[in-house]
Amino acid sequence: MRHRPLRDRPWGNLPSELGRFIGRGAELAELGRLLDSSRLVTVTGVGGVGKSRLVLAAARSAAEAAQGAQGAEGTLAARAAQERHGDGVWLAELASVRDPALLELTVSEALGLTDHTTRPRRTVLAEHLAARRLLLVLDGFEQLVDETADLVADLLRRSPGLRVLAAGRRPLALDGELAFPLAPPVPEEALALLAARAGAADPAFAVTAANRDALVEVCERLDGIPLALELAAARLRTLSPVQVLARLEDRFALLTGGARGALPRHRALRTAIGWSHELCTPAQRLLWARLSVFAGQFDLDAAEYVCAGPDVPVEDVLDLVGELQDQSLLVREETAAGVRFRMLETVRVYGAGWLESLGEARRLRRRHRDWYMGLATWCELDWFSPRQQEVAALVEAELPNLRLALECCLDEPDELHLGRYLAGTLWFYWAGCGRLAEGRHWLDRTLEPTGGALTEYENSRLKALWVLGYIAALQGDAAASMSALYECRDAAAQTGNALASAYAVHRLGCLALVSDDMARARELLGTSLEQYRAVGELNSNVLMCQVELGMALAFLGDLPGALTLCREVREICEERGERWTKAYALYVLAYAALDEGDAPEARRLLNECVAINHAFHDLVGLVLALELLALVTVAEGDPAEAALLQGAAEPMWGGVGLQLFGSGYFNAPRLMCRERAGELLGAERYAAYAAEGRELSREALVGRAQCGPGERGGAARVSRQAGRGGAGGPRRSRRAAAADQP
């Protein structure tokens, strides 16, 4: 068996270094030695001391060493690096995670692991890591230290190739852990850091004989803590070093007395941030406090809605945000969702303390929740538009804030209905962007039993129920899906909610489709379409219902009917700019093209389908398309490549649920492909190519899948004539294939 090229391996998700890493050479070298000798190293220290930057620098060094093995396979160092981190270096940022139930999900997402099933997240993580050799970096776990320690201990025990580098204010206290207390940098490095950051803020700044002594004393008074130095550096744009030193002296006297019993370094950090706070205008301080309600990034529109008021007019927010940015209290970032801002966690926590002392925390949390309720509502409407990709990027960027809004709803017993509304409104993100497991988590939490009594907020509950039924069906949890959908249907009948009834019937039809009851699926999906038309509903869900009806007709042998439905969906999607549902229509059209013997057309349709599903992170649609593409590849005369694609699909199904939903109809192309490729290659060669496919990263797989005949390299060729031996489309052989299903 051939090993996949190193270029195809996923080396991790480390962010690029935005600012030059200054000093810490000795600490970086020592940390590297510790990682060589231990599977768990935790860098500890006061907030702002530079833990995150150090572990990221160490992680980048580890990744570069492992990647360097490509050009130095004969060296001992390269082999050792490849042995330790051959499957990459991955960062999980935990500072914004407050709900313990989201810890394992966050780590899974950091590893690029998508799993839609109902299996415990820890089981999924352990299985993913069991045979891999990688370095996992965990940053900012203080608020979940016990849960993080439990997870790390379990993963290290079950994953012998795993190493963990953590950064927090305290160790995890696990057996075998090597703690690395991080002190502030030595005076020379502290001065170099202060000078570099001041120079970045003001290119005219320089350390001179005239200002050196004052700068050295600033570093000493701040104990060399990097965050404190960066805050001081921002002030050197407008103040001289002597002025900075004088003001800092005043702040020490003011703030030290308020921190009785605190460690000196804690007082130094508090002084640095408190000093910046005191130098802010009252309006700047108030905005700082109010901005602390955001989790992670936020945009200007959100800041204006949540934070404005009589004391901070909305027209002043833009200027105030710019002023806080100038003082290094806000960081501006370019993202796929546009320009966004964020606070360093220590700065945010300081602002949150002030917000509590002002008595505004509860009111601001509600305003924050209201903004994100409105954002979700707008995004749901805009999902059915040419801005669909932008909506996906926006919700992805806002996920930490949406989680916070959901938590706010759950914290208020009288506002549980708002949580149901929000969790249900985000159906397009849960189902369309690869977030089934998280959607299930929030829907289960918001749909607590109500004793069967109808309430004034029944519509929100009904929506959450049909979304839960939809997600559970895609996860392969038929019992939970049926329970939620029947409850939704019956309550909709009681309340006369025709729209909720249509959605419930639709999703029951979807459940029948993946359960191989095609006659019932055809009946329910057809009924649902009539109900949608009666109430004037038209969106991605309605079009998906039409596609699913097309699937049922295709499986029942009515290809003309399936083609009519799915061609109409494709036309509507192209008119409206809708891409997500279009991908599923393309899947059915490709199925029909292959059945009619038109492999080139089937490939063209599936290439577009794969690209769309990959862009939206829709694992269900992606793996379905890849399975059918493997059969197309056999028809093109390349059974080796088909075996590779089938192998690559196998671990993806592990993250979705039952392979091909356990359906004989959906499984027919896979079984046919396996049989034909196996005959042409022989069992041993088929197994070797399939094993190679299982090792491909998703990005490498998608790129390879979209290469046509003659464009890809590496897989053995069998003549096209041999590849067409025993030709037959998926429909013609589905019964035999389904009967042979293991």
Side-chain angles (χ1 to χ4, degrees):
M1 172 184 169
R2 294 171 291 124
H3 295 287
R4 63 176 158 155
L6 288 173
R7 65 178 178 274
D8 285 344
R9 295 185 178 181
W11 288 107
N13 64 339
L14 298 180
S16 58
E17 182 69 66
L18 298 180
R20 184 164 62 92
F21 186 70
I22 297 171
R24 298 292 199 187
E27 291 92 336
L28 191 58
E30 177 62 18
L31 191 54
R33 286 191 290 271
L34 293 178
L35 283 170
D36 288 345
S37 60
S38 175
R39 294 179 60 210
L40 173 60
V41 179
T42 304
V43 177
T44 61
V46 65
V49 79
K51 302 183 294 295
S52 296
R53 287 220 172 195
L54 181 65
V55 297
L56 282 175
R60 289 189 184 96
S61 295
E64 289 166 4
Q67 286 177 288
Q70 296 182 70
E73 292 183 348
T75 69
L76 180 62
R79 288 199 303 270
Q82 183 62 34
E83 178 63 28
R84 286 192 299 272
H85 313 309
D87 289 299
V89 181
W90 302 83
L91 168 66
E93 295 180 325
L94 306 179
S96 66
V97 180
R98 297 292 182 269
D99 183 353
L102 297 178
L103 172 63
E104 289 150 352
L105 188 63
T106 301
V107 175
S108 297
E109 291 168 356
L111 290 166
L113 175 59
T114 304
D115 187 272
H116 295 328
T117 70
T118 57
R119 294 183 299 164
R121 297 297 102 193
R122 185 167 301 186
T123 299
V124 173
L125 267 173
E127 289 179 1
H128 176 77
L129 294 171
R132 285 175 166 80
R133 294 167 288 109
L134 58 82
L135 177 63
L136 175 61
V137 183
L138 302 176
D139 187 20
F141 58 80
E142 290 88 353
Q143 72 286 359
L144 296 172
V145 63
D146 292 335
E147 293 85 356
T148 303
D150 182 64
L151 174 62
V152 168
D154 196 20
L155 293 179
L156 287 172
R157 183 170 57 252
R158 299 164 67 179
S159 311
L162 174 66
R163 290 171 183 258
V164 176
L165 174 60
R169 300 193 183 190
R170 52 177 286 190
L172 292 168
L174 295 174
D175 290 340
E177 177 184 26
L178 292 182
F180 184 74
L182 184 62
V186 297
E188 294 81 4
E189 290 185 350
L191 179 59
L193 176 62
L194 178 62
R197 298 298 183 251
D202 179 8
F205 176 86
V207 178
T208 66
N211 65 20
R212 182 182 179 86
D213 288 346
L215 292 171
V216 168
E217 190 170 352
V218 168
C219 294
E220 290 176 352
R221 294 294 181 88
L222 294 176
D223 282 352
I225 293 176
L227 174 60
L229 295 175
E230 294 198 15
L231 292 168
R235 285 300 177 188
L236 289 169
R237 292 180 60 185
T238 52
L239 302 175
S240 72
V242 172
Q243 288 175 312
V244 167
L245 188 60
R247 288 173 178 264
L248 193 60
E249 181 70 33
D250 291 340
R251 294 316 119 205
F252 262 114
L254 175 66
L255 294 173
T256 300
R260 187 184 304 277
L263 295 174
R265 287 178 188 148
H266 284 185
R267 293 200 299 271
L269 180 63
R270 177 179 173 83
T271 298
I273 300 178
W275 166 64
S276 284
H277 190 266
E278 290 297 321
L279 289 175
C280 288
T281 65
Q284 291 170 352
R285 293 178 207 161
L286 187 56
L287 184 62
W288 176 355
R290 290 179 177 177
L291 289 173
S292 71
V293 300
F294 290 99
Q297 300 174 334
F298 57 89
D299 64 15
L300 182 62
D301 289 340
E304 288 175 335
Y305 177 86
V306 174
C307 302
D311 37 12
V312 180
V314 66
E315 59 270 18
D316 292 351
V317 172
L318 172 59
D319 289 338
L320 291 170
V321 164
E323 291 162 10
L324 292 176
Q325 182 188 344
D326 289 341
Q327 298 176 58
S328 297
L329 296 168
L330 282 180
V331 178
R332 180 185 184 276
E333 297 179 338
E334 293 279 355
T335 75
V339 174
R340 306 180 68 73
F341 302 90
R342 67 175 176 85
M343 282 185 171
L344 296 175
E345 183 64 12
T346 307
V347 173
R348 190 198 67 78
V349 170
Y350 189 94
W354 275 89
L355 192 65
E356 287 285 352
S357 68
L358 292 171
E360 285 199 332
R362 188 166 184 266
R363 183 180 70 83
L364 265 292
R365 280 196 72 191
R366 285 170 170 249
R367 284 187 66 82
H368 175 277
R369 178 207 63 203
D370 292 345
W371 170 261
Y372 286 100
M373 293 272 290
L375 180 74
T377 302
W378 173 83
C379 285
E380 181 188 29
L381 294 171
D382 226 29
W383 179 254
F384 188 51
S385 80
R387 293 176 295 280
Q388 199 171 56
Q389 193 73 52
E390 298 169 30
V391 169
L394 177 58
V395 178
E396 182 73 20
E398 294 288 14
L399 184 57
N401 284 303
L402 288 164
R403 288 170 172 170
L404 198 61
L406 283 160
E407 286 288 356
C408 181
C409 298
L410 290 165
D411 287 344
E412 301 283 348
D414 294 339
E415 296 180 351
L416 191 59
H417 64 284
L418 296 177
R420 290 173 181 156
Y421 172 84
L422 182 53
T425 297
L426 289 169
W427 67 266
F428 63 93
Y429 183 63
W430 311 137
C433 301
R435 294 281 184 172
L436 293 181
E438 178 154 2
R440 180 74 181 270
H441 167 78
W442 292 113
L443 290 160
D444 282 339
R445 287 191 63 187
T446 59
L447 281 168
E448 295 178 353
T450 58
L454 301 179
T455 71
E456 59 182 309
Y457 305 113
E458 189 66 11
N459 290 345
S460 294
R461 189 176 76 91
L462 294 181
K463 185 169 187 176
L465 282 169
W466 73 252
V467 175
L468 173 60
Y470 178 26
I471 289 175
L474 294 178
Q475 290 181 309
D477 190 351
S481 176
M482 194 173 298
S483 174
L485 293 172
Y486 278 140
E487 183 179 352
C488 179
R489 187 193 63 181
D490 294 345
Q494 281 185 268
T495 58
N497 189 326
L499 185 58
S501 176
Y503 276 105
V505 173
H506 172 187
R507 295 310 170 189
L508 284 168
C510 176
L511 181 60
L513 179 71
V514 299
S515 302
D516 275 359
D517 191 347
M518 294 303 152
R520 179 166 171 76
R522 178 175 57 187
E523 176 189 352
L524 290 170
L525 293 168
T527 300
S528 178
L529 277 178
E530 293 174 0
Q531 292 177 312
Y532 283 139
R533 289 166 184 151
V535 296
E537 186 83 341
L538 178 62
N539 55 27
S540 297
N541 274 306
V542 177
L543 294 180
M544 187 65 78
C545 181
Q546 190 163 327
V547 171
E548 290 161 350
L549 179 57
M551 288 181 181
L553 293 179
F555 289 143
L556 289 171
D558 182 6
L559 279 181
L563 286 170
T564 298
L565 288 171
C566 291
R567 284 170 178 162
E568 182 182 10
V569 169
R570 180 172 61 179
E571 290 174 6
I572 296 173
C573 287
E574 289 172 351
E575 289 173 3
R576 299 296 188 111
E578 211 279 1
R579 299 177 65 221
W580 175 64
T581 307
K582 179 185 175 182
Y584 285 87
L586 294 174
Y587 170 83
V588 179
L589 294 174
Y591 180 98
L594 183 59
D595 196 78
E596 295 300 320
D598 192 350
E601 175 66 4
R603 171 169 289 280
R604 186 187 68 79
L605 293 165
L606 288 170
N607 280 351
E608 186 178 358
C609 181
V610 165
I612 294 171
N613 284 318
H614 183 57
F616 283 109
H617 308 292
D618 183 351
L619 195 58
V620 174
L622 178 60
V623 72
L624 280 173
L626 289 171
E627 291 281 11
L628 191 56
L629 192 58
L631 184 56
V632 172
T633 306
V634 167
E636 292 170 338
D638 197 346
E641 188 70 16
L644 185 143
L645 290 175
Q646 286 207 305
E650 288 176 12
M652 293 176 68
W653 277 115
V656 173
L658 287 173
Q659 191 173 77
L660 291 149
F661 315 112
S663 161
Y665 287 93
F666 281 99
N667 207 28
R670 178 177 184 83
L671 294 176
M672 189 188 312
C673 178
R674 187 172 66 187
E675 178 184 353
R676 292 169 61 186
E679 288 175 355
L680 293 164
L681 293 170
E684 186 175 346
R685 291 178 66 205
Y686 175 88
Y689 285 115
E692 182 177 346
R694 284 192 288 272
E695 294 297 313
L696 283 175
S697 69
R698 192 173 304 162
E699 287 71 20
L701 169 62
V702 168
R704 186 160 185 154
Q706 293 184 296
C707 293
E711 298 175 2
R712 68 182 80 90
R717 292 291 186 274
V718 176
S719 73
R720 292 181 183 278
Q721 184 61 39
R724 286 192 291 267
R731 177 172 59 92
R732 291 199 248 286
S733 300
R734 72 177 187 277
R735 292 187 179 87
D740 291 338
Q741 183 185 4

